[in-house]
Amino acid sequence: MLHFLLLFSRQGKLRLQKWFVPISDREKKKVIRDMMMLVLPRQPRTSNFLHWKDLKIVYKRYASLYFCTGLAEQDNELLALEVLHRYVELLDKYFGNVCELDIIFNFEKAYFILDEFLMAGEILETSKFAVNLSMEQADTLQETMEEYMSKPAY
Amino acid sequence: MSPSVPLQEMIRAIRSARTQCEERGVIQRECAAIRAQFRNTDNEGRSHNLAKLLYVHMLGYPAHFGQMECVRMIASPRYSDKRVGYLGAMMLLDEKQDASLLITNSIKNDLSHSNQYVQSLALCTLACMGSAEMCRDLAPEIDRLLRSSNSYIKKKAALCAVHIVRKVRELGELFVPSARSLLSEKNHGVLHGAVVLITQLCEQSPETLERFRKTVPDLVQIMKGLVISGYSPDHDVAGVSDPFLQVRILRLLRILGRHNEAASDAMNDLLAQVATNTDSTKTVGNAVLYETVLTVLDIKSESGLRVLAVNILGRFLLNNDRNIRYIAMTSLQKIVVTDHIAVQRHRGTIVDCLKDQDASVKRRALELSLALVSASNIRSTMKELLIFLSSCPPELRAHAASGIFNAAERYAPSQRWHIDTILHVLTTAGADVRDETVPNLIQLITNTSELHCYTVHKLYRALLTDISQQPLVQVACWCIGEYGDLLLKGECQETEAVQVTEDDVLDALEIVLQSHMSTPTTRGFALTATMKLSTRIIDNVDRIRSVVSIYGSCIDVELQQRAVEYNALFKKYDHMRAAVLERMPVIQKNSVGQTNGEVGEETVKESQAAKVAQKEMALPPQPAGQVCDLLDLLGGSQEPLQPSSSLGGAASTQPTTAGGDLLDLLGGLEPTPPTPAPAVTVYEKNGVTLTISCEQQSDSGLTVTLTASNSSDSDISGFTLQAAVPKSVQLQMRAPSRDSLPANGAAKLTQLVILNNPNKVNLKMRIRVSYTSQGSAVQDMVQVDSFPGIGAAGL
């Protein structure tokens, strides 16, 4: 089970945070700080796995963004790398050649995609096409509803 | 999708702020605007306002005033409002907030909404932040949804059920039937959810585990389908068909096959097939292989399969990818105890990984290497470990050093190798070794008497090169003090002897004494060593005297204490000096807690320095020579001597340790405790009388009081008593009240002996009396077989 998923930039700016366990705001801030302190100074050719408290931390750097997640003891770290990679692929398909700015300006969409892929710390849908399909349909629904209400889009 | 312009404008504004202060200003303005708009009940643009607030929240600013707005948005009929509302609920609300209860009703309504995307929003939010009450409320709904015909909803309901079961264990029962039926689904998403749900149910309850064991054949079937199926574009990842599902199924099989022969047999073939057929060139294939290996090693698999698994781990070790080496070593660590021989085969690769760049890999390699050390490979492994120690990262040094010591202690092929290894460690990583290394090493050196010459020469050389490593310096000082005469003799069989003069040795010790790098403990060692040399050298005793008297006014209390007492040893008690500073006997290896002459007297000194701080009087120390003689005392019999604590303490040539006994002495100076048991005379000769009386303190403890008196016409001086008891009995002698017996019984001498007889053996004691009378030394021995006051069956 994933405990959390964080995206942050090389300068230490948080771009996305998803928590799968109930913890207080202060705890969240502490975890974010700790993760940044652990991950940002890592050398490029070191292993992607760390140990922190009782969690296994798996991180991967994609361009300017670090994707960092915390796993429980029995989870498979190599698979977690695949999960991170799959999420990046989904973002890429949705935004078309995704970059950090896309995630900054459309952060709510990034969350929606994540919610179609992961839930309760586990993988929800293993097929890329299915996730993309449901995103498209949900977006259509949003627009249709809005058109139906004949209100402008914004 | 239409981007939210107000939101994007705000983000642009925030990003263009050049300083933190500016950013805060922008955000405050925006938050004020958002708050105003929340109060405004107008429908337009509500979702964008909330989205703006969520962005601000992600930057780390407070956003709790948006919670009620979330609740309102969720209740709105518009899908876009709901979408952002639920997102806000997941980000701003958690189960501890009161507002979270308000959305329970909305969630309940939305779970039965006609549109599946609205349903999915509700399910997602419930799975993210549902509290225990909410879960209890909505569990029946979720169960109903698990049985719906819509796969999209079913898979979400399955994971929602997982969350519910984690929060409220008792509800697990509710989901068991639906979970079982979900296994026959074709949709991978639903299947995955079902497997996760079943895993969660089995982990939580052993009875449920038993019931789900029957599903093993089904799972094996599904797995086989995945492994041998052709390319399916929907689920393929780098040639592996749906690795996520495969890994989950393997994990469930692991749980089901644990401790169960039948289940393990059923999955044997499948595991072998997966292990051999999975492509291991990409990470994805390795992830599946890894899970397979974990499963094989955890269930009751047959030995052929286990060997296959360990071989896969061995292959991982040779992989170029650092991640894979790391997890290989983690897994090997888990099985090194059970499958020791299999892991030994890969020892070479593991030891090579010590040279890896990555610190985590190094750490794993170190732990594994230490676990694999055995009598046959100790020499080669130790060579590698010592090389590692010289280049290892600082955080691993302490661990490596202690691991090396342990291994050396258990498997040392020879004493000399052992000493060499320890010396090597001390020179390379001396600052990081643990505190008990010094006394342990001292004990080891004392015990290898044939290597004293070799050891002291090596240590002297090491001391000359580097005095910054404290443990090394401490041991070196101790050895030079003890075996200085061997050093000065200038000849040695095992190593090239170093020709030193007494001045050189004293110079070396003085450098240590004065160096700013030496800790107080080290200086204490050096001072003691200097003092000990006073009996081992011939010419420079005056130099030693001057050194000792200089430190008599040192600021450090401990050093001053020692210097003052050594001074006293030179002046008043010069006749005792030779005896006091004699060679140390072989130290008995005792368990921690006993103070019988073990564990570097230095540590004893440290603890008692505080106690002694206020005492100035130097108690005449028991001559160390007595300890050696006591060993002779037992020449004929098989009863080993337990040196008394005061003797052991004093044998350290430090009167300070006797200070600890001083406290006891002060206790003993009170009127001697009334002895209900009668005193029995055990020795009477030449006017010297020795009586003993006993008092039983506890079930196995006994206090014996020895009283001596002198009825002759001449004074007796230097009166000492020594005692020996059977092997299993522990003996502790307190300091005597005095050491001389004036003539005609003017004063008596009492000494307390504490005995502990846990095994209740027949208690005997041999006492040796030695004293000087009329200029001649007298020694005599007496054996006590029966103790007054103790019943025959008693002690």
Side-chain angles (χ1 to χ4, degrees):
Chain A
M1 169 187 168
L2 278 78
H3 283 230
F4 55 82
L5 177 67
L6 302 174
L7 266 69
F8 46 87
S9 70
R10 277 197 59 71
Q11 286 78 35
K13 288 234 185 254
L14 191 67
R15 298 297 176 209
L16 187 144
Q17 53 173 329
K18 184 78 186 180
W19 301 91
F20 298 108
V21 289
I23 65 176
S24 68
D25 258 345
R26 224 171 56 203
E27 273 291 311
K28 283 184 194 170
K29 287 202 166 67
K30 184 164 185 310
V31 173
I32 294 169
R33 241 196 344 263
D34 284 345
M35 287 303 112
M36 290 195 191
M37 260 177 8
L38 276 179
V39 171
L40 288 174
R42 296 274 288 181
Q43 299 298 326
R45 282 153 55 78
T46 51
S47 86
N48 295 75
F49 307 139
L50 294 166
H51 220 84
W52 179 78
K53 295 206 183 158
D54 60 339
L55 296 178
K56 302 195 227 192
I57 308 295
V58 176
Y59 76 93
K60 190 110 198 267
R61 182 174 162 199
Y62 288 92
S64 57
L65 271 184
Y66 281 93
F67 286 67
C68 175
T69 174
L71 312 173
E73 267 305 315
Q74 321 98 315
D75 286 337
N76 188 327
E77 296 103 312
L78 292 175
L79 201 73
L81 277 179
E82 286 304 309
V83 168
L84 293 176
H85 191 72
R86 174 58 69 89
Y87 183 48
V88 173
E89 281 177 339
L90 291 169
L91 289 172
D92 195 47
K93 190 78 200 303
Y94 185 79
F95 288 109
N97 251 335
V98 68
C99 63
E100 190 180 345
L101 281 179
D102 288 323
I103 301 182
I104 294 171
F105 281 95
N106 298 290
F107 71 96
E108 79 273 19
K109 299 281 193 286
Y111 274 104
F112 295 150
I113 296 174
L114 189 61
D115 286 337
E116 289 294 326
F117 176 48
L118 299 173
M119 199 161 102
E122 307 282 356
I123 301 169
L124 177 59
E125 178 56 64
T126 57
S127 154
K128 271 189 279 193
F129 302 124
V131 175
N132 283 325
L133 187 63
S134 23
M135 272 308 287
E136 275 174 35
Q137 288 183 342
D139 285 339
T140 318
L141 182 64
Q142 182 168 341
E143 286 177 14
T144 319
M145 292 284 265
E146 283 168 2
E147 279 168 23
Y148 176 72
M149 306 291 244
S150 42
K151 291 248 160 60
Y154 62 88
Chain B
M1 52 163 182
S2 44
S4 150
V5 176
L7 170 65
Q8 303 207 332
E9 271 178 11
M10 182 192 84
I11 296 178
R12 228 169 261 128
I14 293 175
R15 279 169 63 82
S16 59
R18 272 163 308 196
T19 63
Q20 185 79 329
C21 197
E22 227 181 292
E23 182 181 291
R24 260 199 297 266
V26 173
I27 290 190
Q28 268 174 356
R29 274 197 302 278
E30 289 289 343
C31 282
I34 293 171
R35 255 190 293 242
Q37 302 218 313
F38 282 169
R39 280 195 288 272
N40 187 350
T41 49
D42 191 346
N43 246 344
E44 228 179 274
R46 271 168 71 192
S47 59
H48 305 301
N49 280 327
L50 189 55
K52 281 198 228 175
L53 183 61
L54 293 177
Y55 183 80
V56 164
H57 171 77
M58 190 154 66
L59 291 178
Y61 295 91
H64 39 266
F65 58 88
Q67 288 174 1
M68 286 315 294
E69 185 67 13
C70 288
V71 176
R72 252 174 278 144
M73 297 276 278
I74 290 174
S76 147
R78 295 178 61 187
Y79 178 66
S80 51
D81 286 350
K82 278 193 201 281
R83 227 181 176 189
V84 182
Y86 274 116
L87 179 64
M90 286 193 271
M91 284 177 77
L92 300 177
L93 296 175
D94 60 29
E95 54 186 34
K96 297 192 191 66
Q97 312 281 358
D98 297 327
S100 61
L101 291 172
L102 298 173
I103 63 172
T104 314
N105 214 24
S106 299
I107 294 184
K108 194 185 221 147
N109 291 337
D110 283 338
L111 281 176
S112 349
H113 201 277
S114 51
N115 190 306
Q116 65 175 12
Y117 292 104
V118 175
Q119 283 179 306
S120 88
L121 286 176
L123 284 168
C124 193
T125 311
L126 182 61
C128 182
M129 43 77 74
S131 65
E133 297 87 55
M134 284 165 76
C135 290
R136 258 188 271 263
D137 264 344
L138 300 167
E141 269 298 303
I142 306 298
D143 194 44
R144 189 179 63 79
L145 288 173
L146 271 178
R147 283 182 250 266
S148 92
S149 52
N150 184 338
S151 320
Y152 182 74
I153 293 300
K154 268 196 283 202
K155 71 182 187 208
K156 298 215 174 194
L159 287 182
C160 198
V162 172
H163 175 85
I164 292 177
V165 167
R166 280 185 190 143
K167 275 273 178 242
V168 185
R169 293 177 78 114
E170 301 82 53
L171 290 171
E173 265 309 307
L174 176 63
F175 295 113
V176 171
S178 348
R180 181 74 187 78
S181 60
L182 282 177
L183 270 186
S184 38
E185 287 286 320
K186 288 285 170 278
N187 181 305
H188 280 216
V190 180
L191 211 43
H192 189 277
V195 173
V196 175
L197 180 57
I198 296 175
T199 313
Q200 184 67 35
L201 292 170
C202 290
E203 276 171 357
Q204 278 185 261
S205 148
E207 303 90 55
T208 325
L209 181 72
E210 287 301 325
R211 281 153 69 183
F212 274 110
R213 276 233 175 82
K214 303 189 229 69
T215 61
V216 170
D218 297 325
L219 291 168
V220 170
Q221 209 53 38
I222 298 171
M223 244 333 247
K224 270 214 176 83
L226 286 173
V227 173
I228 58 178
S229 76
Y231 175 78
S232 125
D234 219 14
H235 301 289
D236 183 271
V237 181
V240 181
S241 183
D242 208 341
F244 305 109
L245 183 58
Q246 287 196 26
V247 167
R248 269 341 281 236
I249 294 182
L250 284 168
R251 200 160 135 188
L252 180 56
L253 287 176
R254 182 154 86 233
I255 297 174
L256 293 176
R258 214 180 265 159
H259 308 309
N260 187 298
E261 289 278 352
S264 307
D265 282 336
M267 47 180 99
N268 234 323
D269 288 336
L270 169 73
L271 292 171
Q273 192 173 17
V274 175
T276 36
N277 285 355
T278 311
D279 174 24
S280 61
T281 47
K282 295 284 177 65
T283 311
V284 128
N286 286 326
V288 176
L289 278 176
Y290 179 44
E291 198 71 29
T292 317
V293 166
L294 288 179
T295 305
V296 167
L297 295 173
D298 215 9
I299 64 173
K300 289 181 176 281
S301 49
E302 55 180 39
S303 60
L305 197 54
R306 283 186 94 88
V307 170
L308 183 60
V310 177
N311 285 346
I312 292 180
L313 287 180
R315 259 197 352 253
F316 277 0
L317 277 179
L318 299 165
N319 197 307
N320 280 333
D321 189 344
R322 201 163 267 121
N323 295 330
I324 301 196
R325 286 210 294 275
Y326 178 86
I327 57 160
M329 281 196 275
T330 319
S331 322
L332 285 172
Q333 182 85 32
K334 290 195 199 123
I335 60 163
V336 74
V337 177
T338 43
D339 294 84
H340 195 89
I341 309 148
V343 183
Q344 278 281 5
R345 235 174 273 142
H346 304 284
R347 198 180 62 82
T349 329
I350 294 169
V351 171
D352 275 336
C353 286
L354 281 173
K355 305 191 192 93
D356 197 294
Q357 304 280 355
D358 186 311
S360 343
V361 171
K362 272 199 185 132
R363 180 194 303 269
R364 291 270 175 258
L366 174 65
E367 283 170 13
L368 212 48
S369 307
L370 289 174
L372 286 176
V373 165
S374 76
S376 47
N377 59 36
I378 179 75
R379 278 190 197 266
S380 44
T381 317
M382 194 53 79
K383 225 182 289 172
E384 292 290 334
L385 285 172
L386 288 176
I387 298 174
F388 171 70
L389 191 63
S390 41
S391 61
C392 86
E395 60 268 12
L396 288 178
R397 272 221 195 102
H399 187 67
S402 53
I404 290 177
F405 283 147
N406 280 341
E409 203 175 305
R410 285 212 303 270
Y411 301 112
S414 76
Q415 299 271 30
R416 179 169 156 177
W417 180 93
H418 195 174
I419 291 182
D420 277 340
T421 311
I422 298 188
L423 288 181
H424 193 139
V425 174
L426 285 181
T427 36
T428 31
D432 298 298
V433 299
R434 280 209 293 260
D435 294 330
E436 38 307 343
T437 319
V438 172
N440 283 346
L441 180 56
I442 289 179
Q443 180 177 338
L444 179 66
I445 292 176
T446 338
N447 287 346
T448 34
S449 41
E450 60 276 9
L451 287 174
H452 283 166
C453 194
Y454 169 76
T455 318
V456 74
H457 274 98
K458 277 203 92 157
L459 282 171
Y460 180 72
R461 274 206 204 90
L463 189 66
L464 285 181
T465 30
D466 174 24
I467 57 167
S468 63
Q469 310 264 31
Q470 296 305 303
L472 180 66
V473 173
Q474 286 171 9
V475 175
C477 286
W478 190 91
C479 276
I480 293 176
E482 271 298 295
Y483 310 118
D485 46 338
L486 291 176
L487 184 65
L488 292 166
K489 241 188 332 187
E491 61 186 38
C492 181
Q493 292 160 324
E494 281 93 359
T495 183
E496 186 191 310
V498 51
Q499 306 293 334
V500 285
T501 64
E502 296 173 358
D503 271 323
D504 294 335
V505 179
L506 288 174
D507 280 339
L509 286 175
E510 249 190 86
I511 293 176
V512 174
L513 258 178
Q514 290 163 355
S515 164
H516 62 278
M517 289 190 279
S518 306
T519 64
T521 327
T522 317
R523 294 167 84 190
F525 269 87
L527 189 60
T528 313
T530 316
M531 186 61 193
K532 283 192 211 173
L533 282 178
S534 70
T535 43
R536 288 160 176 69
I537 62 177
I538 320 142
D539 297 326
N540 287 357
V541 185
D542 287 331
R543 182 173 167 184
I544 296 182
R545 270 184 115 123
S546 56
V547 167
V548 163
S549 53
I550 289 173
Y551 278 89
S553 43
C554 171
I555 293 182
D556 186 323
V557 174
E558 169 71 20
L559 279 182
Q560 185 186 80
Q561 171 91 45
R562 292 183 189 206
V564 163
E565 285 165 357
Y566 292 152
N567 241 342
L569 205 56
F570 268 120
K571 296 205 176 76
K572 255 173 64 175
Y573 299 97
D574 202 33
H575 57 281
M576 290 189 133
R577 191 161 51 88
V580 169
L581 299 176
E582 256 191 31
R583 272 291 165 82
M584 286 282 283
V586 173
I587 303 174
Q588 305 288 340
K589 179 117 190 171
N590 282 319
S591 55
V592 178
Q594 288 198 9
T595 54
N596 291 344
E598 47 70 29
V599 182
E601 63 277 15
E602 281 69 31
T603 49
V604 178
K605 282 185 213 103
E606 291 304 340
S607 60
Q608 297 185 335
K611 282 193 240 163
V612 169
Q614 57 272 43
K615 312 275 181 293
E616 285 131 37
M617 184 181 105
L619 202 64
Q622 308 273 351
Q626 288 193 342
V627 182
C628 291
D629 294 336
L630 277 170
L631 294 176
D632 295 334
L633 183 75
L634 304 169
S637 77
Q638 288 306 312
E639 300 163 343
L641 173 67
Q642 300 284 27
S644 70
S645 69
S646 67
L647 284 180
S652 70
T653 75
Q654 288 305 324
T656 40
T657 53
D661 297 306
L662 185 60
L663 289 178
D664 298 322
L665 179 69
L666 287 181
L669 279 178
E670 288 157 5
T672 36
T675 48
V680 170
T681 308
V682 295
Y683 172 81
E684 196 162 336
K685 214 190 217 180
N686 298 339
V688 177
T689 321
L690 183 65
T691 59
I692 71 168
S693 65
C694 320
E695 196 179 304
Q696 184 126 24
Q697 302 291 350
S698 67
D699 198 27
S700 60
L702 176 72
T703 312
V704 175
T705 314
L706 303 164
T707 317
S709 63
N710 175 15
S711 55
S712 70
D713 288 331
S714 48
D715 286 343
I716 284 178
S717 61
F719 187 93
T720 49
L721 294 165
Q722 295 153 268
V725 285
K727 212 182 227 171
S728 58
V729 181
Q730 291 144 12
L731 175 147
Q732 239 189 2
M733 285 184 92
R734 296 291 150 98
S737 59
R738 48 186 305 125
D739 72 333
S740 64
L741 286 173
N744 302 317
K748 279 200 171 51
L749 178 156
T750 41
Q751 185 159 16
L752 279 167
V753 181
I754 318 278
L755 294 172
N756 190 17
N757 186 5
N759 296 347
K760 307 256 197 296
V761 303
N762 211 3
L763 195 62
K764 297 190 215 289
M765 194 192 285
R766 215 178 259 176
I767 305 179
R768 182 156 82 183
V769 180
S770 37
Y771 57 88
T772 313
S773 171
Q774 290 168 329
S776 56
V778 179
Q779 267 193 5
D780 214 341
M781 187 140 67
V782 64
Q783 175 135 347
V784 180
D785 290 320
S786 67
F787 286 79
I790 312 299
L795 258 196

